[in-house]
Amino acid sequence: MNQFLILAFLFFIGSVIGWFLELFYRRFKRANKEHKWVNPGFCTGPYVPLYGFGLCLLYLIASLENYNPVQNSFWNKVLLFMMMAVGATAIEYLAGILCVKAFKVRLWDYSTEWGNLQGIICPRFSFFWALLGALYYFAIHPYILGALDWLSRNLSFSFVIGLFFGVFIIDVVHSAQLVTKLKQFAEENNVIIRYENLKSHIRGIQQSNAMKHWFFRPFSSGRPLNEHLKEMLESFEKRIKS
């Protein structure tokens, strides 16, 4: 089967599964005191591209298991999981630094974590990537191979994959327009926009005004986006002065 179709299929699966993982993680994490459901990620729809790229990487690395650089089977597996952790951390860092440097937007913030690098990656979450790599290898990879075998016998499903990417591209274009506005404000005020804080700020305004919270439209409040950004900036400046 065509390698491009395989990776497209894995990106589709990884992005959707990753969205659900992030959805439940954010719902029950300690910082979410109100325990609200929050649409995670950069896009509007139910997918997180970072996990899509991550699953493609895990699949490619797991495919190297027959090349045994270490004779001992146990340490060979450990090396495989370390490669997965390093690769996933590299993707996370590249995505994070691109957003901060190019778009002036911080999608996540590990600045309170020990050993963090620019608040984008940290040892704790790299360890989690290693655990996810091990979980993928033992519990998911065999099913992925089975799914790929099924896909090779049902190539008509590629229509669904194509439909997914059509919707995904439209979503990315829409989200890019939003990020362009954020970047313009950030450059004018010499700040970095914290994406999740902005969504939380707008959600608070929606609740205080008894407005309906649109799960898939977290920036919809009936007011210009710049007004929310200015309110956040003023609130931040007041906290610094006090």
Side-chain angles (χ1 to χ4, degrees):
M1 186 168 49
N2 184 282
Q3 188 72 10
F4 176 79
L5 181 58
I6 290 174
L7 295 178
F9 180 59
L10 293 175
F11 182 86
F12 162 62
I13 294 176
S15 297
V16 174
I17 292 177
W19 184 84
F20 280 102
L21 288 175
E22 285 288 330
L23 180 69
F24 283 93
Y25 171 74
R26 292 166 188 268
R27 170 65 172 78
F28 296 106
K29 72 176 182 179
R30 189 176 302 175
N32 186 1
K33 297 179 181 179
E34 298 179 349
H35 297 292
K36 299 288 185 180
W37 293 104
V38 179
N39 185 13
F42 163 78
C43 295
T44 301
Y47 30 75
V48 178
L50 182 65
Y51 283 87
F53 288 115
L55 182 59
C56 290
L57 179 73
L58 294 181
Y59 166 77
L60 292 173
I61 293 177
S63 300
L64 299 175
E65 63 177 327
N66 293 327
Y67 299 93
N68 298 320
V70 181
Q71 295 301 318
N72 184 286
S73 176
F74 172 79
W75 290 110
N76 196 56
K77 293 290 189 296
V78 170
L79 179 61
L80 197 70
F81 302 149
M82 288 179 62
M83 290 172 60
M84 290 178 175
V86 171
T89 300
I91 290 177
E92 188 176 32
Y93 180 77
L94 289 174
I97 201 68
L98 175 65
C99 289
V100 171
K101 297 297 184 181
F103 305 117
K104 309 299 180 185
V105 172
R106 185 178 289 276
L107 295 179
W108 61 85
D109 189 2
Y110 298 155
S111 57
T112 59
E113 297 284 343
W114 174 83
N116 76 86
L117 178 60
Q118 298 172 279
I120 298 173
I121 57 174
C122 66
R124 186 163 79 100
F125 280 87
S126 292
F127 174 71
F128 288 157
W129 279 118
L131 290 181
L132 280 175
L135 176 65
Y136 167 81
Y137 179 82
F138 290 113
I140 301 175
H141 188 61
Y143 293 101
I144 289 291
L145 296 178
L148 293 177
D149 177 65
W150 175 87
L151 181 62
S152 67
R153 290 181 283 104
N154 297 271
L155 289 178
S156 58
F157 187 78
S158 59
F159 171 78
V160 177
I161 300 175
L163 182 63
F164 163 79
F165 275 96
V167 174
F168 174 70
I169 291 171
I170 294 173
D171 195 338
V172 169
V173 171
H174 172 265
S175 299
Q177 292 174 345
L178 171 65
V179 170
T180 299
K181 296 178 182 178
L182 299 181
K183 179 184 178 182
Q184 182 180 357
F185 180 87
E187 289 177 340
E188 290 174 353
N189 295 274
N190 195 28
V191 295
I192 299 294
I193 306 297
R194 284 174 166 76
Y195 206 68
E196 295 301 324
N197 289 359
L198 176 59
K199 287 198 290 190
S200 178
H201 173 78
I202 295 177
R203 185 170 67 250
I205 292 174
Q206 290 171 335
Q207 291 172 344
S208 64
N209 294 336
M211 295 177 61
K212 185 176 181 180
H213 170 55
W214 294 95
F215 181 78
F216 286 111
R217 295 180 61 192
F219 297 102
S220 177
S221 67
R223 292 169 53 189
L225 183 61
N226 265 19
E227 287 188 15
H228 297 301
L229 292 168
K230 289 176 182 177
E231 287 175 357
M232 284 187 61
L233 183 60
E234 290 172 359
S235 176
F236 177 72
E237 290 175 344
K238 286 179 181 178
R239 287 201 300 269
I240 292 179
K241 291 178 181 178
S242 62

